[in-house]
Amino acid sequence: MAEHLLQASRQRQVKAMTAAAGSAGQAAVPLLLCALLAPGSAYVLDDSDGLGREFDGIGAVSGGGPNFGASLHILKVEIGGDGQTTDGTEPSHMHYALDENYFRGYEWWLMKEAKKRNPNITLMGLPWSFPGWLGKGFNWPYVNLQLTAYYVVSWIVGAKHYHDLDIDYIGIWNERAFDINYIKVLRRMLNYQGLQQVKIIASDNLWEPISASMLLDSELLRVIDVIGAHYPGTRTVKDARLTEKKLWSSEDFSTLNSDVGAGCWGRILNQNYINGYMTATIAWNLVASYYEQLPYGRCGLMTAQEPWSGHYVVEAPIWISAHTTQFTQPGWYYLKTVGHLEKGGSYVALTDGLGNLTIIVETMSHKHSMCIRPLLPYFNVSRQFATFILKGSFSEIPELQVWYTKLGKPSERFLFKQLDSLWLLDSGGSFTLELQEDELFTLTTLTTGSKGSYLLPPKSQPFPCVYKDDFNVDYPFFSEAPNFADQTGVFEYFMNIEDPGEHRFTLRQVLNQRPITWAADAFGTISIIGDYKWSNLTIKCDVYPETPEKGGVFIAGRVNKGGILIRSARGVFFWIFANGTYRVTGDLAGWIIYTSGHADVTAKKWYTLTLTINGGFSSGTLNGKPLWKNVSVNFPKNGWAAIGTHSFEFAQFDNFRVEAIH
């Protein structure tokens, strides 16, 4: 048998060398078992002197599925706080002090879907914004520490009670200030609720000042389980290491999911550990499922931004993830023998302690692996031969499976391709790789890797030119209407119990107070919909202002900004107010007034608004009668349709219809 294996090994050796010498266009790639072909550097992989840090996983913000695609280990979700948090708002489970609802938004559904695919996936929750009532009039979540801790713990308890979801980690406040006493109160309240197993991660910002604070405060050091930093550039700081806590890159990537984004992801997944001892890396974001022209368009591991067509694209970062996630699991350990390659690139190796070994080698070039932040110091990567020598308990490994990715020119590009396995029986536990720029190799004892297959997605389609929604959904699966993207405020399905007629089911803006903001939310509320390329269109909608005297609602077209830029949105906004006036403005803030006047409007009545924009002119009707016409509008030339309110106030919308002319 041994003789047969030796012969097979020699045959594979010849085959690999022949392939390397063959045409570059062939996929059978540069694996050389014989180091004699070219001089190279040697890298020892050894567990004789113990192991490195425990691996905690690869994840994404708001994933899993063993050995199919990304196979993520961690899913981090936003605890919706009613405020704008980059590309939209997510609803809170407690809009008001006496309000609790654990079925709003999509995060509950997402966590359950992730658990179906990977029952062992780690779940994390983190607030970005908070509902306004927690601030008692201040834009600050630490006014009443017990109240805010109660709010966060309620979310964890609700996840278990209503969805049978166990939250593993809870954060403090995304990329904002932390309060030492709040962290301690949160720990005590978790323990009081029997949630000792829920761990605290802090502070989801920079390494400092949280690390120094922990070193100066023994109780704080005790209650924080993980230090999480955002966009660390693969580096950590001395204080963070001195805490002897787990170090995570708890948000990273945020880069367009092109090959450059894939290169960024491939480089940091290795080097976050090599340079910074980080044992988990979490990408923002999981899936780019928001209108592309919003900030950070297509900065997800994959893209699915056309719910109206069902089209999606499995982008390169998914397969970069698979190089690590399919061949490791939380609870494995990094070897101490990891590091940088002599001519650029890096290598890590991990083991489960049961004889399995996974080695990941990356040679991402500077040009093709820049992340959106921080600035990447220049480095050079060039062709090289790297010999790896397996020692310790790995010296007897007979075979390694090989998975390969090459980023770059379409003619040379391969994503997560399985190559012939490497036989090591007659090589003294060593093998040599020929490495070019922008490559990724996984060499592993695990045989369970799989690229997976899926049906071709539906073809990409633009948003329908004619779109309507009457919101007549008796038992909605989600709290929000499809395709509307709330940018400030929260718009939810609503049932008017006392109205058996046409407006029994509506869409209602439900916030009556500005949230504790994370970004620069607008002073009024707005939800966008449609195709950013729309220019000439007619929007029609029934509206119901609920606030006497001060109430105001609008419909709008050509809205050109959203997300964290929403306050500066331009467009054509048609407002009516409960005080009996109307206004047409060129911006959401209401500074650019095109025309205004009297309108027969009061609160708590339904009105039908129609806005027509054609070329450089716009017109509007109220209940089918012209209110203003041929108002000049020269900027912007295109944008989304939208609905909204003048302030944080209750208002309802029904029978929304838009018709765009291309």
Side-chain angles (χ1 to χ4, degrees):
M1 180 65 181
E3 191 176 293
H4 174 71
L5 289 175
L6 273 172
Q7 187 179 359
S9 176
R10 290 195 185 102
Q11 287 171 351
R12 288 171 186 271
Q13 187 172 322
V14 170
K15 184 177 176 184
M17 292 196 301
T18 305
S23 76
Q26 292 178 341
V29 173
L31 288 174
L32 304 178
L33 301 184
C34 177
L36 300 175
L37 291 185
S41 299
Y43 308 94
V44 174
L45 300 174
D46 192 356
D47 61 352
S48 303
D49 189 30
L51 298 171
R53 294 193 174 208
E54 183 180 1
F55 174 66
D56 295 307
I58 306 301
V61 181
S62 299
N67 301 322
F68 187 103
S71 303
L72 298 177
H73 308 127
I74 301 169
L75 174 62
K76 179 176 180 177
V77 303
E78 177 178 341
I79 298 176
D82 293 338
Q84 168 61 245
T85 56
T86 299
D87 289 298
T89 65
E90 289 196 41
S92 170
H93 58 289
M94 296 176 75
H95 293 316
Y96 329 108
L98 299 177
D99 162 68
E100 286 188 61
N101 184 323
Y102 297 92
F103 295 90
R104 294 182 183 128
Y106 59 84
E107 301 288 13
W108 311 108
W109 169 84
L110 186 65
M111 287 189 279
K112 287 187 284 192
E113 291 296 316
K115 279 284 185 184
K116 285 179 190 175
R117 289 155 178 78
N118 177 4
N120 297 318
I121 199 164
T122 297
L123 296 178
M124 303 174 62
L126 175 66
W128 269 247
S129 62
F130 296 83
W133 60 273
L134 287 172
K136 307 274 188 186
F138 296 93
N139 194 44
W140 190 244
Y142 307 127
V143 174
N144 184 322
L145 304 182
Q146 281 76 17
L147 196 61
T148 297
Y150 168 77
Y151 165 82
V152 169
V153 171
S154 296
W155 183 85
I156 298 170
V157 171
K160 181 64 176 176
H161 182 78
Y162 293 98
H163 302 284
D164 197 26
L165 292 166
D166 293 302
I167 304 301
D168 300 293
Y169 290 88
I170 196 73
I172 308 305
W173 189 11
N174 182 74
E175 295 175 1
R176 296 294 180 265
F178 62 88
D179 181 291
I180 289 172
N181 289 324
Y182 167 73
I183 297 172
K184 296 174 182 177
V185 167
L186 178 61
R187 179 73 270 165
R188 287 197 288 273
M189 196 170 290
L190 286 166
N191 293 349
Y192 180 75
Q193 291 287 344
L195 297 167
Q196 289 86 352
Q197 78 283 2
V198 178
K199 296 182 171 69
I200 290 179
I201 179 169
S203 67
D204 282 298
N205 200 347
L206 306 174
W207 295 117
E208 298 290 16
I210 190 68
S211 300
S213 301
M214 291 167 69
L215 292 173
L216 293 169
D217 185 327
S218 59
E219 185 185 353
L220 185 68
L221 183 68
R222 188 171 68 251
V223 301
I224 293 175
D225 300 277
V226 175
I227 303 178
H230 287 196
Y231 308 96
T234 77
R235 304 287 174 177
T236 185
V237 298
K238 184 180 178 183
D239 279 356
R241 296 192 296 273
L242 285 174
T243 65
E244 298 184 358
K245 295 290 183 176
K246 288 178 177 290
L247 309 177
W248 289 7
S249 177
S250 53
E251 187 178 309
D252 222 322
F253 180 63
S254 284
T255 304
L256 186 70
N257 54 27
S258 61
D259 272 15
V260 173
C264 152
W265 189 228
R267 178 176 53 78
I268 65 177
L269 285 186
N270 268 18
Q271 296 194 27
N272 275 351
Y273 182 75
I274 296 165
N275 300 337
Y277 304 101
M278 286 165 261
T279 54
T281 298
I282 299 171
W284 189 94
N285 57 61
L286 178 65
V287 184
S289 286
Y290 43 94
Y291 290 116
E292 186 170 337
Q293 294 81 6
L294 288 168
Y296 303 98
R298 277 190 49 208
C299 284
L301 297 181
M302 62 177 282
T303 303
Q305 60 191 23
E306 293 184 17
W308 53 88
S309 72
H311 177 72
Y312 63 90
V313 187
V314 181
E315 310 280 9
I318 289 287
W319 304 117
I320 296 291
S321 305
H323 271 278
T324 298
T325 56
Q326 288 201 20
F327 309 107
T328 58
Q329 286 298 321
W332 283 45
Y333 278 81
Y334 285 98
L335 303 193
K336 289 181 178 177
T337 49
V338 301
H340 293 273
L341 299 168
E342 186 183 339
K343 293 187 177 179
S346 67
Y347 64 97
V348 294
L350 302 97
T351 181
D352 62 355
L354 302 172
N356 283 308
L357 176 69
T358 290
I359 307 158
I360 304 129
V361 182
E362 61 82 20
T363 56
M364 299 305 161
S365 63
H366 183 274
K367 183 179 179 181
H368 295 118
S369 74
M370 286 185 283
C371 304
I372 200 165
R373 58 184 178 270
L375 183 70
L376 180 63
Y378 183 74
F379 59 86
N380 189 53
V381 178
S382 56
R383 178 172 175 263
Q384 60 192 302
F385 291 88
T387 298
F388 293 88
I389 302 165
L390 307 187
K391 291 194 173 180
S393 68
F394 310 122
S395 60
E396 301 299 316
I397 288 175
E399 183 182 11
L400 291 171
Q401 309 293 312
V402 183
W403 292 83
Y404 174 71
T405 286
K406 168 75 172 175
L407 301 173
K409 298 175 188 171
S411 60
E412 301 172 1
R413 192 171 181 262
F414 299 102
L415 295 175
F416 199 57
K417 180 181 179 64
Q418 187 168 18
L419 306 180
D420 285 342
S421 57
L422 274 175
W423 282 80
L424 306 177
L425 283 178
D426 57 348
S427 68
S430 70
F431 60 91
T432 297
L433 301 182
E434 180 188 0
L435 301 170
Q436 311 277 359
E437 284 187 356
D438 301 318
E439 291 183 332
L440 195 61
F441 282 94
T442 297
L443 304 107
T444 179
T445 54
L446 297 184
T447 58
T448 49
S450 168
K451 189 160 186 180
S453 60
Y454 49 91
L455 296 173
L456 278 175
K459 288 186 176 178
S460 175
Q461 303 276 352
F463 196 96
C465 289
V466 177
Y467 183 83
K468 55 188 176 182
D469 194 337
D470 59 13
F471 311 115
N472 290 354
V473 185
D474 210 340
Y475 296 100
F477 189 77
F478 290 108
S479 59
E480 297 154 297
N483 302 315
F484 281 91
D486 301 351
Q487 298 303 306
T488 298
V490 173
F491 295 74
E492 294 180 353
Y493 283 118
F494 183 72
M495 183 167 69
N496 288 300
I497 297 169
E498 73 282 359
D499 185 345
E502 182 189 2
H503 299 298
R504 184 170 175 82
F505 297 102
T506 67
L507 192 68
R508 189 188 197 208
Q509 201 295 117
V510 296
L511 300 190
N512 62 357
Q513 187 176 0
R514 185 178 174 84
I516 296 171
T517 57
W518 182 82
D521 298 42
F523 289 100
T525 72
I526 177 171
S527 188
I528 60 171
I529 189 169
D531 190 329
Y532 191 80
K533 295 175 184 154
W534 280 349
S535 180
N536 299 328
L537 71 167
T538 297
I539 305 158
K540 185 176 182 181
C541 188
D542 297 343
V543 299
Y544 184 83
E546 294 188 42
T547 307
E549 297 301 321
K550 295 181 180 178
V553 298
F554 70 81
I555 62 174
R558 294 188 184 174
V559 177
N560 72 342
K561 285 182 184 169
I564 50 178
L565 307 174
I566 188 60
R567 284 176 76 166
S568 58
R570 297 284 303 272
V572 183
F573 295 80
F574 175 17
W575 311 76
I576 59 168
F577 296 92
N579 66 3
T581 63
Y582 77 91
R583 198 176 302 157
V584 183
T585 69
D587 63 334
L588 176 62
W591 293 337
I592 303 165
I593 300 175
Y594 290 139
T595 187
S596 62
H598 172 77
D600 189 13
V601 173
T602 186
K604 301 197 174 176
K605 284 189 177 178
W606 281 99
Y607 302 93
T608 302
L609 300 185
T610 307
L611 169 64
T612 300
I613 310 171
N614 198 335
F617 295 95
S618 65
S619 305
T621 71
L622 175 67
N623 293 337
K625 295 177 182 175
L627 192 60
W628 51 279
K629 56 185 176 181
N630 295 330
V631 166
S632 177
V633 290
N634 294 316
F635 181 86
K637 300 296 185 188
N638 55 277
W640 297 291
I643 57 174
T645 64
H646 182 242
S647 63
F648 286 92
E649 61 186 271
F650 299 129
Q652 295 176 53
F653 302 84
D654 202 2
N655 300 317
F656 176 86
R657 187 180 192 277
V658 59
E659 182 173 350
I661 305 157
H662 280 295

